[in-house]
Amino acid sequence: MLLRALREDAGWSRTELAGRAHVSKRWLADFENGKPSVYMSMVMDCFAALGAGFEVVLINHRPDRGALGE
């Protein structure tokens, strides 16, 4: 939903975003419609094309186990 909203706010069609992110229109449509299995790298490429990114947030981090839960 967020990707679609950002795309629409930018005034881009699916074709334009797909071209800028180097993904297929079919893949983009599937993702925007909630397909449960997608490649994260392609998701990140789409957001990056729109000038957006991701931040990793640790959930339930246990300080006694190190940053990666080791």
Side-chain angles (χ1 to χ4, degrees):
M1 294 168 89
L2 178 59
L3 182 67
R4 183 182 303 184
L6 289 172
R7 178 180 59 75
E8 291 173 349
D9 285 350
W12 292 0
S13 66
R14 280 186 178 151
T15 301
E16 185 167 5
L17 177 55
R20 290 177 183 237
H22 308 289
V23 299
S24 72
K25 283 189 338 182
R26 175 79 255 156
W27 181 91
L28 181 56
D30 286 347
F31 178 69
E32 285 188 348
N33 289 318
K35 182 177 179 181
S37 62
V38 295
Y39 292 102
M40 189 62 182
S41 63
M42 294 171 83
V43 172
M44 293 172 70
D45 289 344
C46 289
F47 278 99
L50 289 162
F54 289 86
E55 181 176 322
V56 174
V57 177
L58 295 176
I59 302 171
N60 298 322
H61 177 249
R62 291 181 42 192
D64 59 322
R65 296 194 60 187
L68 298 177
E70 300 168 345

